[in-house]
Amino acid sequence: MPPSDLPRTGPHGVRQAAQRNADLLAAAALAVVAALLALVAGIPTPVRILVAIPVVFAAPGYTVTEALLPGRNRGPVERVLLAVTLSISVSVLGGLLLNLLPAGLTRTTQTLLLSVVTLAGAATAALRRARVKSAGPAEPGEPSEPAEAAEPRPVRRALRLSPAGIASLVLAIAVASAAIAIGVQTAQAHDTASFTQLWITANSSSTRAQVGVMNDEGAAQSYTLDLTTHGGSGRTYGFRLQDTASWRTEIALPATAKGYPVTVRLYRTQAPGVLYREVSLGASPS
Amino acid sequence: MTSTDAATGVVTERSPGPGRGHRRPRRPLRGGGTEQGKRAGTDAAPTWGLLPQFLLVMAAGVLLVALAYRRGWEQSASGDALYWVGELLIFLPATGRMISRSPAVGRRERLGLVLGVTAALYAVKYLYSPLAFKFPDELQHWRSATDILTTHHLFTPNASLPISPQFPGIEELTTALSSLTGLSVVTAGLLVAGLARLLLMLGLFELFRRVAGPEARTGRRRQGSAAANGRQRPERVAGFAALLYATSMHFQSFDAMFIYQALAIPLAVVVLVLLARAPDGTPRANRARVGIALVLTAAAVVTHHVTGFALLAVLALWAVVQWAGARRTPDWPRDRRPMLLAGACAAFLLLWDGLVATDTVGYLTPMLDTFRDLFGAGAQPAAGAGATPVPLFDQLTSYGAVAVVALLLAPAAWHVWRAQRHRPAAVVLTLASLSYYLVLGVRLASSDGPELAGRAFTYVYLPVAYVLAAGAMAALARSGARPAAPALGEWEPAGVAVGRARRAGAWAAAVLGRPAVVVMLTAVVFVGGITSGWPPFWERLPGPYKVSAFERSVEPEGIAAAQWTLAHLGPGNRFAADFTNYTLLGTYGDQDVVRNVADVYYSPVFGPAQVTQLADAGVQYLLVDLRLSTQLPAGGSYFPDDPQQDRHTTPIPRRDLTKFNSVPGIDRIYDGGDIVIYDVQEVLDAAQ
């Protein structure tokens, strides 16, 4: 590399380079933090979310785009589009490569993939920026990348919102939040059902069977369970289950393969005469 | 002080001179911008304009929809009215603002309106079921994503949708997000689908803007072309086109779901965005853009089968247009990128579908058969929408939307062809838009046409939206400049009939060029898109359980039964079940559910024929949902392959569903109240 191509060194040069590459440094820092978080257990979910979302959706694509298309030659919309779609492509196409590894797609490998691509893109972009800077402006007649969408640089004042605009925006956020809260609360309140599950399953050798009850009634419930085998012998269980709690027992099945009819009937204590659930093995329930 | 544009007749008010004070114009400038902005050829109003106020209106619309959903759960009759008011509040004010020619409406505001409408419509979809996926396709992709998290590898078989693991793009992204954040697959999937929505509309805005963009970027300025195009700002056409795309049948719900095309389509659109920018940079930058486009093409191909083929079709058409244009026109812009990208896309498809996604051909063949049948003897009239008659409002708006688009597309395409035929991208979109009529034929003439056409409209509407928007903007621009329709006598030399016809045409064009008419027609198309799309009228609002009603049938008891099968029987058992439990067992239960044993349920007896049918299908377990005996199927069929589809007049008798209780050798192993599971292996073994 000719000396003129080398980045300037020294405190001033380093500061300039850091200022020039502040975006790349931020992306690289995110990638490093994400990689560290992937290796540490017990990190709170909000912290993971804050770091992971830009690393999954923006950082790799942004640095790769900066490496491939350095300079201010893209409009803001194209900038966003390329950063996000390339980041997505890293996960999609990179996942195919991770699948070839024995470990496959884990939190560690996926984070490392995204971080390595981000860091490689940032390093390449920084080098290209340094070269462009050291090479100076393009010679007259030399082709250069025109600025896309010759939009005037945004005037900060023009972008400020009026008081009415600010109030409207705050109100809009509040109303949208209320809508989401209502929607979620409605779904939580209505999208429910009250039921109890009763089951019986024999093991592979048909010598024993698992009997189970699960309470999904939305409240604690008392049950009576009658277990009868063909021939009349039986047993009754009484128990109370909290909501979403389950009860299980294991029973021995009669030795004769074809002669083990077992019927299990479940009653709720509040309505003892009303059959609530019934399962059976090898029997014809009533 | 005012001036009149000689080409368009648009009246423009100039700013007063420096010596006359700095008063604001008394009325908004017309003609698309300030004089300064016109000289610069740029948007002179880089402000947010009234965007916050319009966002507030959209938020109010979302709130009304949320309240409508609550009414739906409460079975209140006022839910529908709230829903429609909310939907229209989200869409119509933004549309009215978008077609405004006021220079106060800048590019940022237009883009903000597009993204605001997108976010609000996604909120409408999200609030329908904010806690869990309920649509079958979403659940099937949830299964594939869960399998990746469980096995850490791709391509785990998914019996509920075998093609899904072979196109793992959206699942890879979702599991990456889920792994890194700790969010559930549902939450991560909702985030991915929402981001994909915004990305799609951002991409469409940019694509349409570039296609309609400045003459200098895409070719030589043609005499009269700007006038024919109505001197439109590209972002005005782009914004309106993007909003029109949001009126397509499945935009609001199906395409916003956690399904593979939700991610693939934005990737494909960005490929077109890159292609729509003329190769005007340095060679290195041009090569870099092509390289990025290749990466995005590959990502789209491995994410969704149909999107890959659709992208290939557009790229191939683009390449043909380039080739034909270069042969016919000496100053046609030379560009080999479409050919290169089309070739690469074809190669990716061959490699992926030939080596990895080997089920693709078998999966897509039945859909191609429908197109073939359309032109052969196999065409069948479109079936009804299930057991419940379609309300008149839905029929009127649905057919009204089709009529509006079908009637206006051809003249709009003719306009774009005349105005922009020197631009390859515009020519491609114009030609592609005409495929709307083919898909419309499928929709009206084929028995499974509505579903197939709905899927196809997702792609076809992309060029249709641009062409309609460009046509509408030109009509709006001309309406202000159009001289009064000629008197009848002026046409006398050509005959009275011709004169009347031309007067009628001039009158129609003048009417269609009024902003209120444009907004009204857009409203018809928007409402028609909803009524002909998803969800159908019988579950437009969420609510209590209904039989065979897609999302309305997914409730905790069915989910619990499916989860029980996975926990106690293990994965991959052969199950028979009804339509809803078919999905739940295949996803929450990870079971292998058969489709073609409906007659076993319909039969009043369980005899040798039923045993043979179950044995042939390899069924091990039968799931019976006793609620099938309480209602007719909202979707028209009780079972996945229902021989009595759309012919049910009464529910299945309960005794037919409980007949398995008295069959010796059949074990009743699970009772959840409404759902009973039988183990039929012994009786089938005995029969063999």
Side-chain angles (χ1 to χ4, degrees):
Chain A
M1 182 184 292
S4 61
D5 286 355
L6 290 172
R8 250 190 289 173
T9 54
H12 185 64
V14 170
R15 197 179 307 121
Q16 271 193 335
Q19 283 174 348
R20 192 170 58 236
N21 297 315
D23 53 342
L24 301 175
L25 285 173
L30 265 175
V32 171
V33 172
L36 292 175
L37 290 183
L39 301 173
V40 180
I43 303 294
T45 299
V47 177
R48 286 193 185 281
I49 292 172
L50 277 178
V51 175
I53 284 181
V55 169
V56 172
F57 289 126
Y62 179 79
T63 60
V64 168
T65 308
E66 289 299 313
L68 293 173
L69 293 166
R72 304 186 62 83
N73 49 12
R74 303 178 300 287
V77 175
E78 180 175 330
R79 210 171 269 267
V80 171
L81 284 173
L82 293 186
V84 179
T85 51
L86 274 177
S87 297
I88 289 171
S89 301
V90 168
S91 284
V92 172
L93 299 176
L96 302 178
L97 298 176
L98 294 181
N99 187 55
L100 301 175
L101 302 175
L105 290 84
T106 65
R107 186 170 76 191
T108 306
T109 58
Q110 285 171 317
T111 309
L112 285 177
L113 168 74
L114 294 166
S115 299
V116 165
V117 172
T118 303
L119 292 172
T124 310
L127 276 176
R128 287 199 69 184
R129 284 182 186 177
R131 283 184 187 169
V132 168
K133 185 173 184 302
S134 60
E139 293 294 323
E142 185 180 334
S144 62
E145 180 78 344
E148 221 276 329
E151 188 178 356
R153 288 182 67 79
V155 182
R156 187 170 293 179
R157 189 184 58 191
L159 291 180
R160 279 192 196 143
L161 289 172
S162 63
I166 293 170
S168 299
L169 196 60
V170 170
L171 259 178
I173 292 170
V175 171
S177 303
I180 288 172
I182 288 172
V184 172
Q185 190 269 337
T186 300
Q188 285 172 336
H190 292 91
D191 201 1
T192 59
S194 298
F195 60 96
T196 295
Q197 296 170 286
L198 170 67
W199 67 87
I200 183 168
T201 53
N203 62 6
S204 55
S205 58
S206 298
T207 55
R208 303 189 72 78
Q210 289 272 347
V211 176
V213 177
M214 174 122 183
N215 174 20
D216 275 306
E217 301 283 355
Q221 186 74 42
S222 296
Y223 299 96
T224 302
L225 186 142
D226 281 348
L227 191 154
T228 59
T229 56
H230 189 64
S233 63
R235 188 169 174 186
T236 299
Y237 301 86
F239 50 89
R240 181 175 177 81
L241 290 177
Q242 296 300 314
D243 186 33
T244 71
S246 62
W247 174 92
R248 296 169 194 228
T249 189
E250 189 172 87
I251 59 171
L253 297 173
T256 52
K258 297 291 180 187
Y260 62 73
V262 177
T263 302
V264 182
R265 296 188 178 90
L266 186 71
Y267 302 86
R268 286 183 293 182
T269 307
Q270 73 229 39
V274 179
L275 179 61
Y276 191 48
R277 300 282 185 266
E278 181 177 20
V279 293
S280 63
L281 289 178
S284 300
S286 53
Chain B
M1 185 185 295
T2 60
S3 66
T4 304
D5 188 307
T8 63
V10 173
V11 178
T12 307
E13 185 168 335
R14 288 181 184 154
S15 306
R20 304 176 71 180
H22 294 282
R23 288 186 306 159
R24 289 187 173 188
R26 277 171 291 188
R27 57 192 167 102
L29 296 180
R30 301 180 69 191
T34 62
E35 292 300 308
Q36 185 184 3
K38 279 183 177 175
R39 281 196 297 273
T42 61
D43 186 351
T47 71
W48 301 112
L50 294 179
L51 181 62
Q53 286 82 349
F54 278 87
L55 290 178
L56 176 58
V57 174
M58 291 177 207
V62 174
L63 179 63
L64 288 183
V65 171
L67 293 172
Y69 287 169
R70 173 171 280 190
R71 296 283 188 278
W73 279 105
E74 294 165 352
Q75 300 282 280
S76 167
S78 62
D80 276 328
L82 276 176
Y83 173 82
W84 284 115
V85 173
E87 287 274 15
L88 292 175
L89 265 184
I90 290 170
F91 193 77
L92 282 194
T95 302
R97 181 72 172 167
M98 188 64 78
I99 65 172
S100 166
R101 281 184 288 172
S102 164
V105 189
R107 178 174 163 193
R108 293 169 195 277
E109 184 179 354
R110 294 185 191 280
L111 181 57
L113 287 171
V114 169
L115 297 181
V117 167
T118 306
L121 293 181
Y122 186 69
V124 169
K125 184 267 171 193
Y126 164 74
L127 291 172
Y128 191 92
S129 174
L131 305 178
F133 294 136
K134 288 194 169 182
F135 190 76
D137 295 47
E138 281 188 302
L139 288 169
Q140 289 156 355
H141 287 282
W142 171 85
R143 176 78 260 160
S144 292
T146 303
D147 286 341
I148 293 174
L149 282 178
T150 309
T151 64
H152 302 303
H153 282 90
L154 307 176
F155 312 124
T156 302
N158 178 349
S160 65
L161 185 61
I163 197 78
S164 160
Q166 299 178 9
F167 292 91
I170 194 167
E171 289 89 353
E172 287 178 272
L173 182 63
T174 304
T175 53
L177 184 63
S178 175
S179 296
L180 267 67
T181 58
L183 294 171
S184 69
V185 172
V186 171
T187 308
L190 287 169
L191 280 173
V192 166
L195 178 85
R197 287 275 85 186
L198 292 172
L199 203 57
L200 169 66
M201 296 302 273
L202 194 63
L204 284 182
F205 183 88
E206 186 67 2
L207 173 65
F208 294 148
R209 192 186 68 81
R210 288 183 178 193
V211 175
E215 309 281 308
R217 302 207 67 76
T218 49
R220 189 167 65 91
R221 179 187 287 271
R222 293 296 180 95
Q223 189 72 26
S225 64
N229 196 27
R231 290 197 187 281
Q232 297 311 307
R233 292 204 169 287
E235 53 268 21
R236 184 166 171 240
V237 176
F240 188 51
L243 288 183
L244 278 180
Y245 183 76
T247 67
S248 67
M249 278 174 69
H250 287 317
F251 179 87
Q252 185 164 304
S253 183
F254 184 75
D255 291 341
M257 290 180 180
F258 176 63
I259 51 179
Y260 33 24
Q261 67 258 42
L263 184 65
I265 294 174
L267 297 174
V269 164
V270 178
V271 173
L272 301 182
V273 169
L274 289 167
L275 202 52
R277 174 172 172 154
D280 54 0
T282 62
R284 188 169 185 169
N286 291 333
R287 282 198 301 273
R289 283 197 170 82
V290 171
I292 292 171
L294 285 171
V295 170
L296 299 182
T297 301
V301 165
V302 305
T303 300
H304 185 228
H305 37 75
V306 173
T307 303
F309 287 110
L311 180 59
L312 174 62
V314 175
L315 292 174
L317 177 61
W318 204 314
V320 169
V321 166
Q322 278 292 150
W323 174 77
R327 279 177 63 93
R328 289 171 58 91
T329 313
D331 59 349
W332 186 265
R334 297 293 191 273
D335 188 0
R336 292 185 176 174
R337 296 173 308 158
M339 181 78 78
L340 173 68
L341 286 172
C345 186
F348 291 148
L349 282 167
L350 275 175
L351 279 174
W352 189 256
D353 296 346
L355 299 177
V356 180
T358 50
D359 292 344
T360 305
V361 174
Y363 180 77
L364 296 179
T365 300
M367 301 179 196
L368 296 177
D369 287 345
T370 300
F371 278 91
R372 189 195 63 204
D373 291 347
L374 181 63
F375 302 102
Q380 299 290 328
T388 318
V390 180
L392 184 62
F393 173 77
D394 285 57
Q395 290 191 45
L396 286 177
T397 50
S398 178
Y399 286 113
V402 169
V404 168
V405 175
L407 288 174
L408 295 182
L409 179 61
W414 176 242
H415 157 75
V416 177
W417 171 260
R418 287 180 60 195
Q420 298 184 295
R421 63 178 178 272
H422 60 289
R423 291 184 187 160
V427 173
V428 169
L429 291 187
T430 306
L431 294 176
S433 71
L434 299 178
S435 60
Y436 176 84
Y437 294 108
L438 173 68
V439 177
L440 193 59
V442 172
R443 179 182 177 184
L444 298 176
S446 174
S447 57
D448 53 355
E451 181 183 354
L452 200 60
R455 305 286 181 100
F457 276 144
T458 296
Y459 302 93
V460 171
Y461 237 74
L462 194 149
V464 166
Y466 174 76
V467 170
L468 285 177
M473 291 301 106
L476 282 171
R478 284 173 171 171
S479 68
R482 188 180 302 280
L488 186 60
E490 295 178 34
W491 302 108
E492 283 301 332
V496 174
V498 173
R500 282 181 177 163
R502 298 192 70 166
R503 282 189 69 187
W507 177 84
V511 168
L512 290 173
R514 295 178 191 280
V517 175
V518 171
V519 171
M520 191 188 71
L521 291 176
T522 308
V524 171
V525 175
F526 175 67
V527 173
I530 294 174
T531 53
S532 57
W534 198 265
F537 65 93
W538 37 261
E539 62 159 358
R540 189 158 294 138
L541 304 181
Y545 174 86
K546 277 186 173 183
V547 169
S548 290
F550 293 85
E551 290 95 329
R552 285 283 291 265
S553 303
V554 175
E555 46 70 61
E557 188 177 345
I559 294 171
Q563 289 172 329
W564 178 88
T565 64
L566 181 59
H568 291 84
L569 305 177
N573 296 292
R574 296 279 284 179
F575 260 86
D578 60 275
F579 186 85
T580 300
N581 289 292
Y582 168 87
T583 299
L584 295 177
L585 284 171
T587 54
Y588 283 103
D590 201 11
Q591 306 297 336
D592 187 1
V593 195
V594 303
R595 296 177 63 92
N596 55 348
V597 290
D599 287 335
V600 171
Y601 292 88
Y602 287 133
S603 170
V605 297
F606 188 81
Q610 287 70 42
V611 171
T612 303
Q613 196 173 2
L614 290 178
D616 289 347
V619 172
Q620 298 170 276
Y621 298 96
L622 266 173
L623 184 147
V624 176
D625 193 330
L626 298 172
R627 291 171 291 191
L628 270 54
S629 65
T630 62
Q631 294 175 11
L632 287 169
S637 54
Y638 283 113
F639 299 98
D641 286 342
D642 192 341
Q644 300 184 34
Q645 181 177 359
D646 291 331
R647 289 187 284 136
H648 296 283
T649 53
T650 58
I652 306 175
R654 188 179 175 93
R655 62 178 177 280
D656 293 352
L657 297 176
T658 56
K659 61 180 177 280
F660 308 104
N661 285 335
S662 55
V663 178
I666 291 184
D667 295 332
R668 180 181 161 116
I669 60 171
Y670 174 92
D671 184 355
D674 295 315
I675 294 175
V676 180
I677 296 175
Y678 299 94
D679 181 345
V680 297
Q681 294 174 86
E682 187 183 333
V683 74
L684 298 187
D685 290 345
Q688 291 170 349

